[in-house]
Amino acid sequence: MFVASEDYNDVGLKLDDRLIKRPAATFFLRAAGSEPDADIKDGDLLIVDRAEPPAPGKVIVAVVHGEMLTRRLPPGWREDDGLEVWGVVTFVIRAP
Amino acid sequence: MPAFALVDCNNFFVSCERAFRPELEGRPVIVLSNNDGCVISRSEEAKALGIGMGAPFFEVRAIVIEHKVASISANHELYVDMSRRVCSVLARHAPVVENYSIDESFLTFPDDHKLEARAHAMRAEVRRWTGLPVAVGLAPTKALAKLGSDKAKKGSGVLSLLDAGIREALLDETPITHIWGIAKRSALRLAPYGIRTAGDFTRARDALIQSTLGIGGLKLAHELRGTSCLTLAGVPAARQSVTVSRSFGKPVYGFEALNSALATFAARAAERARRHGLRAGELGVHFGWREDDRPVMDGDSVRLAPTNDTPTLIRAAKALAERLFVEGRPYKKAGIVLGALEPADTAQSEFFDDGSAEKSTRLSKMVDRLNAELGPYTLRYGGEKSSTAWSSRCDSQSPCWTTRWEDLKTVRPAV
């Protein structure tokens, strides 16, 4: 049976489906400097979801004195400890 | 009962900049239009300093320097992307979302059950997901929802006018000129009948409203009384005029330079009118310059057989400019206003129509399409300026953080 090729345009794996849960809330940032504790290396592409709830152990982008900085939330972190969370880093993309 | 919401992004362009530059929070910030440097968005702190909407940069420069106001050149690519994000968050909360402008959307809800609480949740979600603050007005009609969102900005961010008592009290304290769609001219026509507040307007007789403001005014009165009659498609034409104007980077003296700037503005204005399906029955030209260190303006306008044809408008602008131009004047600003706008399809054709008008309009549309596809200024009409000698430099435009890989925001580790 002949099937028009457009019918298969959506077939295949798309990274967006895997890495971006909420497109409206997801932003790409670039790491400037390495941070072993957060598994981030200089130049990494960071996928940041502003809608993802922050939790201890997650890597976040925080706003400290007006600057956006990455850090891993410590085990005892709680929502009300005053740290301004910009978004949660959900994936890190880098060449090996 | 079905209900409407108007969601309005506060100081939208400034808020988009702040979303990626948190250091701008709490500081006075203004966004300037490209190539002209007129203020098109202000933070609350900048408003408090007395910086007016639309003010040319040179008029507010002293305030900017004295109060260290951050002045940013507009980055529409960023704003369009952020607007798209806001709309997709809104679509999670309402079945019908109509994007009224880049920073305003109307939402339709089939029922108003616990709507105020839902609106608070929606507002918090837009803030969390996009970083942008919004104000929400809830009401049984769109005109009231618009009024609600205007007032919500001063309060908790959500104002419900679903309750008739609250609504009437607010209308009684709102000057009629603050109502969406009531121009100063209309307000002047109502004043002799003692109609000064929106409340007065809702209590006026239908016959009086229709005879002074026409059927559009009557619809608005019904809307303000709480009877919805502006369906999603039937929103009143927001624009009563199309203005394209620029402040020049440095004074312009020659007629040719001035005329080519005007031709460019006329082309842009015509393009905008066509995009909205409108024709202009009036064209105005204005110039600004400084005398004894005070800004001075001069301008004039002509009636036209309704048109949105670029070459016709360029010719009319040139004729006006020739009359207004004075040799030796240091022109700092020029602009075009298209007025007496009407829907293009209902306009009567000219008595001696030889078909050339239609041909010309087809040409205009083709130019629009090519400019839209290949980038602005791809095709120009004779007289339109190709160099930007008259345009001021673009100071500091923010990177396209959300739309270009090479422009991504960088973040450093906390330690």
Side-chain angles (χ1 to χ4, degrees), chain B residues 130-213:
Chain B
T130 66
L132 301 175
V134 295
V136 185
L138 300 171
T141 71
K142 291 175 120 179
L144 286 166
K146 171 86 176 151
L147 177 65
S149 80
D150 290 344
K151 300 288 174 188
K153 282 179 197 165
K154 301 268 188 291
S156 71
V158 176
L159 181 63
S160 170
L161 299 180
L162 291 165
D163 177 87
I166 294 176
R167 198 155 72 218
E168 282 155 22
L170 179 65
L171 288 170
D172 273 333
E173 63 183 48
T174 304
I176 186 72
T177 45
H178 289 197
I179 295 296
W180 185 40
I182 298 272
K184 266 209 194 86
R185 241 191 353 255
S186 309
L188 286 177
R189 267 186 257 150
L190 294 170
Y193 302 100
I195 300 172
R196 293 199 165 73
T197 69
D200 297 337
F201 185 61
T202 57
R203 288 183 294 269
R205 283 179 305 114
D206 283 2
L208 171 67
I209 294 172
Q210 189 165 354
S211 66
T212 42
L213 300 186

Side-chain angles (χ1 to χ4, degrees), chain A residues 20-87:
Chain A
I20 302 172
K21 197 156 38 162
R22 290 169 284 243
T26 301
F27 297 87
F28 301 118
L29 303 180
R30 179 83 61 195
S34 297
E35 190 179 10
D37 179 51
D39 296 322
I40 287 174
K41 288 197 174 130
D42 187 42
D44 283 356
L45 177 65
L46 310 178
I47 300 182
V48 181
D49 187 343
R50 293 193 57 139
E52 184 72 21
K58 289 196 173 174
V59 176
I60 61 148
V61 175
V63 177
V64 182
H65 302 305
E67 195 183 359
M68 287 162 62
L69 303 168
T70 53
R71 61 171 291 187
R72 189 181 290 281
L73 288 175
W77 177 83
R78 285 170 30 162
E79 190 99 44
D80 55 4
D81 81 349
L83 184 69
E84 192 188 334
V85 179
W86 193 90

Side-chain angles (χ1 to χ4, degrees), chain B residues 33 54-55 99 104 130 137 165 201 283 297 361 376 407:
Chain B
S33 50
N99 308 327
E104 292 171 297
T130 66
F201 185 61
L283 174 129
M297 301 279 281
T361 302
D407 278 7

Side-chain angles (χ1 to χ4, degrees), chain B residues 4-5 95-100 105-108 142 228-236:
Chain B
F4 295 96
V96 183
V97 177
E98 175 204 15
N99 308 327
Y100 185 62
S105 292
F106 279 108
L107 277 48
T108 309
K142 291 175 120 179
S228 177
C229 51
L230 302 176
T231 54
L232 275 184
V235 182

